Amino acid sequence: SRRGSTMEVFLLHGLLLLLPLAVLLLYRYNTTFHYFCKVAFFNCWILAVATILSPFAALRGRSVENMKLLRAAILPLKYIYGIKIQVRGSEHLDVKEPYVIVCNHQASLDLVGMVEIIPDHCVPIVKKELLYMGTVGWACWLCRMIFINRHKREDAINVISRTARTIRRENLRVLIFPEGTRNQEKSMLPFKRGAFHLAVQAQVPIFPVVMSPYWDFFSSKDKKFTSGTCTIQVLPKVETRGLSPEDVPELTETVRQAMADVLIEMSANQC
């Protein structure tokens, strides 16, 4: 009996020693397991960052300046994941005036590219659901991100109107993903008009930003997550001075087409 229990303990220890090896082998040779490990680490990093930084941000109070803390904490992820980011046209954003940035939206990984180009005194407009995600929601609130209810049109319009008044008064920059949802396809989804109504109401310029497709190194569909290169192209500003709400549909389509053309060019270069 004693010999049997010793054998069981020995076998248990053996299994415990083999477990890390099995995990390591799965991580190295199984792309799906590799993908889920990296995605889990990404989410844990964001949660840890939000939890650790929120008390420090709270000392300052709700302020757009807290975005600097968030940006500094997310920047190391590109080195951890081996993602090389090339930014073209960043000089376009070097203006003192307030403006609206519109960018294509592919995955949560966009955060890594976003912190690379986001200027000072700039906040993203995010879905209201984020507000209820524990310390992540608290961190977003402390950074003064703008929450929008995508399912209630009237609420969304009110948020856009309030933000338009704030932009000029506080020299604020706002980043929006006009596709409204993640999209890893070869073409852009139709743009929602909120960002363009905001820019026209505030009479501030729009800077279109295009992130190259992640196909080479990331795909949630194929469960692929390796290292690679992402190119971010900042397009010249699009003026809205003198435009009215009637001009918004045409403005939306003009900007979308310019961004879609750049995305097609980037996609062709990757093939």
Side-chain angles (χ1 to χ4, degrees), residues 83-89 103-104 106 113 116-117 209-214 216-217 228-234 262-263 265-267 269-270:
I83 298 170
K84 188 180 177 187
I85 297 177
Q86 300 172 338
V87 182
R88 298 173 185 162
C103 183
N104 59 317
Q106 300 180 72
E116 201 73 27
I117 57 116
V209 172
V210 184
M211 292 192 198
S212 65
Y214 301 152
D216 286 352
F217 62 94
T229 301
C230 173
T231 302
I232 302 174
Q233 179 74 53
V234 183
V262 173
L263 187 67
E265 189 182 328
M266 286 174 162
S267 303
N269 290 338
Q270 284 188 349

Side-chain angles (χ1 to χ4, degrees), residues 43-58 70 73 133-140 142:
N43 291 329
C44 288
W45 183 280
I46 299 302
L47 181 61
V49 160
T51 306
I52 294 165
L53 293 184
S54 288
F56 295 101
L70 203 62
M133 290 179 65
T135 51
V136 172
W138 191 35
C140 291
L142 285 167

Side-chain angles (χ1 to χ4, degrees), residues 100-141:
V100 172
I101 299 172
V102 292
C103 183
N104 59 317
H105 189 22
Q106 300 180 72
S108 298
L109 204 59
D110 293 343
L111 272 176
V112 178
M114 188 184 86
V115 297
E116 201 73 27
I117 57 116
I118 199 167
D120 288 343
H121 222 61
C122 179
V123 290
I125 287 185
V126 296
K127 57 185 180 182
K128 200 170 185 177
E129 291 90 330
L130 266 178
L131 190 54
Y132 309 112
M133 290 179 65
T135 51
V136 172
W138 191 35
C140 291
W141 185 84

Side-chain angles (χ1 to χ4, degrees), residues 74-91:
I74 292 172
L75 276 170
L77 280 171
K78 68 176 180 181
Y79 302 110
I80 293 168
Y81 285 125
I83 298 170
K84 188 180 177 187
I85 297 177
Q86 300 172 338
V87 182
R88 298 173 185 162
S90 58
E91 67 279 359

Side-chain angles (χ1 to χ4, degrees), residues 25-70:
L25 288 169
L26 272 171
Y27 182 81
R28 181 152 189 184
Y29 296 108
N30 187 294
T31 53
T32 302
F33 186 78
H34 185 94
Y35 167 84
F36 280 114
C37 283
K38 283 193 164 184
V39 168
F41 180 83
F42 182 90
N43 291 329
C44 288
W45 183 280
I46 299 302
L47 181 61
V49 160
T51 306
I52 294 165
L53 293 184
S54 288
F56 295 101
L59 293 172
R60 183 187 274 142
R62 193 177 187 216
S63 167
V64 67
E65 291 302 306
N66 287 325
M67 281 296 297
K68 290 178 181 177
L69 287 174
L70 203 62

